[in-house]
Amino acid sequence: MIIVGNQPIELIPSEWSAFEWHWLQQLQNRPTRYVYQSMDHLRFEWNLRGSLVEAAEGLDRSGVSFASFDKSRCNPVYWNRNVEGGFELKANVTPADGIRDIWRNGHLYAFECATATVIVLYGGVLGSIREDAFNDLFRNLLLFDWHYDSDLRLTEKNGKETALPGDVLYFKNPDVSSETPNGRERTPLCYGRIGIMDTALVLRAAKISFVP
């Protein structure tokens, strides 16, 4: 059930996108209470969730490659690659332009799964707020592993049952090869437009090698 301003509400289909309406109906029919301070709060969250899904799908089509830190690469026009394999935003580049370039020139980029997930988070936020606000919030960007700006204000929850589109899910991966440490302990699980993507497809997409 969706609660807005301490009261249950009735939603009108014409006021929402097909993606939003599908999931809001799911929430309305669940016994769990989904509490929002206002309609603006509700709209912002679901606009952001939709933007995150679109960012993930767009990154998948962009031509980026998965690579270990020592083989990572980036567009040198926008980013400096540091000795650890992370990407530091150039001083003359805005955060919005730097993030957008990853989707525009994906073939110039290669990074591992954790960095990819953080990039999707930045891309989703960029698609849902004003560009000037994004640039103010995320100055001096560093893209490296699970490093992310505190202004993303990520929270952690246990249990896939409560997950919604735009959330980042993980699962234990005990069978990964000892020779390929990236993703050994946990592997990002992409949450799709309608539901959770098939695990085997995610693993193949991430190019994770398993012990025979």
Side-chain angles (χ1 to χ4, degrees):
M1 177 185 295
I2 298 174
I3 304 295
V4 176
N6 297 320
Q7 294 183 354
I9 61 166
E10 291 292 330
L11 300 174
I12 301 173
S14 61
E15 296 180 352
W16 305 91
S17 68
F19 165 80
E20 292 166 340
W21 181 249
H22 171 85
W23 283 101
L24 290 172
Q25 288 297 99
Q26 297 288 317
L27 268 57
Q28 282 284 52
N29 294 328
R30 293 179 184 178
T32 304
R33 289 166 56 94
Y34 297 89
V35 179
Y36 297 88
Q37 297 174 0
S38 65
M39 285 299 295
D40 286 343
H41 180 197
L42 176 63
R43 291 185 186 282
F44 176 81
E45 177 175 316
W46 282 93
N47 179 51
L48 174 58
R49 289 186 179 279
S51 183
L52 287 165
V53 172
E54 290 177 1
E57 294 175 344
L59 192 66
D60 182 55
R61 297 189 299 266
S62 70
V64 301
S65 301
F66 282 95
S68 56
F69 293 116
D70 61 323
K71 296 180 179 179
S72 67
R73 65 178 189 270
C74 57
N75 186 349
V77 175
Y78 291 86
W79 303 89
N80 293 316
R81 182 183 181 277
N82 63 29
V83 294
E84 295 179 312
F87 310 150
E88 299 174 0
L89 189 68
K90 287 198 166 185
N92 63 335
V93 176
T94 67
D97 285 343
I99 290 297
R100 247 190 317 254
D101 186 67
I102 302 172
W103 277 260
R104 290 175 175 171
N105 293 297
H107 63 285
L108 298 177
Y109 293 84
F111 35 75
E112 46 62 67
C113 295
T115 303
T117 303
V118 174
I119 288 171
V120 167
L121 293 175
Y122 283 127
V125 172
L126 177 57
S128 62
I129 67 174
R130 298 191 323 272
E131 184 169 327
D132 61 330
F134 184 90
N135 289 333
D136 286 341
L137 285 170
F138 303 116
R139 299 173 183 175
N140 305 314
L141 269 183
L142 168 65
L143 303 178
F144 177 69
D145 199 23
W146 284 112
H147 175 91
Y148 60 86
D149 194 290
S150 60
D151 282 318
L152 281 177
R153 299 188 181 183
L154 303 183
T155 58
E156 294 184 7
K157 295 181 180 179
N158 293 322
K160 64 182 180 181
E161 297 80 9
T162 61
L164 295 169
D167 291 345
V168 178
L169 304 183
Y170 307 89
F171 61 94
K172 294 291 184 179
N173 186 10
D175 296 326
V176 74
S177 169
S178 59
E179 298 178 355
T180 55
N182 291 328
R184 182 183 302 166
E185 294 182 357
R186 292 184 173 183
T187 301
L189 183 64
C190 302
Y191 206 68
R193 185 167 290 277
I194 298 300
I196 301 175
M197 293 174 63
D198 181 81
T199 301
L201 294 177
V202 174
L203 293 177
R204 286 201 295 273
K207 299 180 181 177
I208 294 172
S209 300
F210 285 84
V211 176

